[in-house]
Amino acid sequence: MKYRSVGWAVAAALAALPLAGAMAAERPDYLKPISGPPQPPSAQDLANRNVLQLNTTMFSLYDSAGVAFRRNILANHPVILALFSGAGGRMILYRPGQPPIEAPSVPKAYQVMKSLGHSAMAISEVVLPYVDTPSDTSWVAPMRAYLTEMKSALETIGAAEMPDAWRANSRAILENNIAFMEDSLAKGAVTLDAVQAYAKSQAPVLRNAIAWAAQTQVKHWMGVLDGWKKDLGGSFDQAFGASNTIYVARQNNVLFSVLAQYFGEKAINDRLFLIETVSFTTTPEDMLTAVVRIISDRSVGGLFFNNDRLMDYELMGGDARKAIIAEMKARGQEAFLPPQVPFGSKQWPALISGGSGAASLDDIH
């Protein structure tokens, strides 16, 4: 009797299921757009997704391994980072087993010279969109505001940080700025002739300010590196160095060029890196991450392809080069490509092919 009762109970429950389903509540409207059985992926879509997930996971594994790589590199090698900044740069020395050292800043005279040079650039940015357009006076308000700041700078230039021999030149920059601004405001218009005359008068004194800023910056950082190289002794030969650059500052990059004098030619692209970015400033953390990735990726090139510098380059670049040549040939044209450079090249990471034309301010007349 006991088993029969259980059997009847199960049968009754099963019999009730269709009735319960038939009486299920209608889904409310707010659930209809987001509920319901999903469309199953095609076999190809599912396969693509499974394979592509391997690449997504690779990046998280890469980041995890990077922590260990970084710890090992910093435990065995000094690292010097030279980072761009509006104050003439930052340099940080990482030493195995010791806290990092950040070098003193470039003397304030560098920033003063740079600001004087930028003041002329700022004026040109204000007026150039409105040259010979007297009906548009959009430039007037910002010009008046900047003129007030310019006069304040001129009133106090005698106390600004710089050698006394630079003061007359600095005063001339500000006076030329003020004369042009006041003349333009008085006329209520900006003419091409006036702008060109202003630029011509400013060029010689601006060149002085540019040269003095460069001298101040280079002298400071070479003094810092003199001290660090002495303190590191023989371990300097195992040091890694890196500087960051945005495209406009890649050629003749000041900080990288200074580092190169201490690391030497053989270290370029080996232990000394120029890392291009999309912004002027980069954090030390991001720079360290980039350096660690360059060094750690070399193990991949050595392990799989018997060349530990292969990964310093675009991995598909060689095959892409052949593909470009073939595709251009199929179109009846010659491919336009740079010369092939061997992996491990010690060439400067900037344009070095030479050619004709001005290459410095001294070449421009």
Side-chain angles (χ1 to χ4, degrees):
M1 293 295 294
K2 180 178 179 182
Y3 296 115
R4 181 180 294 181
S5 298
V6 172
W8 279 107
V10 172
L14 292 173
L17 284 176
L19 180 62
M23 297 177 62
E26 179 74 14
R27 282 177 297 161
D29 290 341
Y30 63 81
L31 284 181
K32 290 179 180 179
I34 61 171
S35 62
Q39 289 292 328
S42 68
Q44 185 177 67
D45 286 343
L46 179 60
N48 288 342
R49 186 187 307 169
N50 288 341
V51 175
L52 294 179
Q53 181 59 42
L54 300 176
N55 194 57
T56 301
T57 303
M58 182 275 294
F59 284 106
S60 63
L61 295 174
Y62 202 90
D63 289 340
S64 298
V67 175
F69 290 145
R70 173 172 167 172
R71 181 178 62 247
N72 294 338
I73 291 168
L74 292 179
N76 293 283
H77 298 270
V79 176
I80 297 175
L81 299 183
L83 298 92
F84 177 90
S85 78
R90 298 173 61 190
M91 281 200 189
I92 305 172
L93 170 62
Y94 298 82
R95 301 161 298 166
Q98 301 182 61
I101 299 174
E102 179 150 2
S105 299
V106 176
K108 192 72 72 174
Y110 165 87
Q111 294 183 58
V112 172
M113 292 300 107
K114 194 169 182 179
S115 184
L116 288 169
H118 283 172
S119 70
M121 182 187 299
I123 291 173
S124 68
E125 294 297 321
V126 170
V127 301
L128 286 178
Y130 308 101
V131 169
D132 293 330
T133 56
S135 60
D136 191 342
T137 58
S138 303
W139 58 275
V140 170
M143 178 75 87
R144 283 176 176 160
Y146 202 39
L147 177 59
T148 299
E149 295 178 0
M150 199 72 65
K151 289 181 175 179
S152 296
L154 179 60
E155 289 173 1
T156 58
I157 193 64
E161 183 175 319
M162 70 181 78
D164 288 339
W166 299 1
R167 295 195 189 280
N169 191 85
S170 302
R171 182 176 296 276
I173 292 173
L174 296 173
E175 288 174 343
N176 289 341
N177 286 344
I178 291 170
F180 170 73
M181 296 167 81
E182 289 183 334
D183 182 65
S184 298
L185 289 168
K187 293 176 179 176
V190 179
T191 66
L192 181 58
D193 288 343
V195 172
Q196 290 177 331
Y198 160 68
K200 187 175 182 179
S201 68
Q202 282 290 59
V205 287
L206 288 175
R207 286 187 180 189
N208 289 335
I210 293 167
W212 294 334
Q215 292 164 15
T216 303
Q217 184 183 27
V218 168
K219 181 178 181 180
H220 174 78
W221 290 127
M222 293 189 81
V224 167
L225 290 169
D226 284 339
W228 285 356
K229 187 169 185 178
K230 181 179 178 181
D231 292 343
L232 289 173
S235 65
F236 189 87
D237 294 333
Q238 284 76 51
F240 289 98
S243 182
N244 67 305
T245 183
I246 196 170
Y247 174 79
V248 70
R250 179 183 60 167
Q251 191 67 19
N252 301 326
N253 184 277
V254 176
L255 296 177
F256 182 85
S257 297
V258 169
L259 286 176
Q261 308 314 304
Y262 291 81
F263 278 80
E265 180 181 354
K266 292 183 179 180
I268 291 178
N269 305 325
D270 178 27
R271 295 184 294 110
L272 179 60
F273 313 117
L274 182 63
I275 298 173
E276 293 202 40
T277 65
V278 295
S279 61
F280 278 108
T281 57
T282 304
T283 66
E285 185 66 24
D286 287 343
M287 284 285 287
L288 272 179
T289 298
V291 170
V292 168
R293 284 187 173 180
I294 291 170
I295 300 168
S296 61
D297 276 355
R298 289 174 173 174
S299 63
V300 177
L303 181 64
F304 288 95
F305 304 107
N306 298 319
N307 190 303
D308 66 350
R309 299 308 156 96
L310 170 69
M311 298 296 288
D312 284 15
Y313 295 76
E314 166 59 65
L315 183 59
M316 294 188 298
D319 290 303
R321 182 186 183 93
K322 291 187 288 186
I324 290 169
I325 292 171
E327 290 290 337
M328 291 299 289
K329 185 176 181 180
R331 290 163 173 77
Q333 301 178 53
E334 288 288 329
F336 174 63
L337 293 165
Q340 284 190 298
V341 177
F343 305 133
S345 169
K346 301 299 188 294
Q347 293 185 36
W348 284 76
L351 303 175
I352 60 171
S353 59
S356 60
S360 70
L361 279 176
D362 293 337
D363 298 333
I364 302 173
H365 304 288

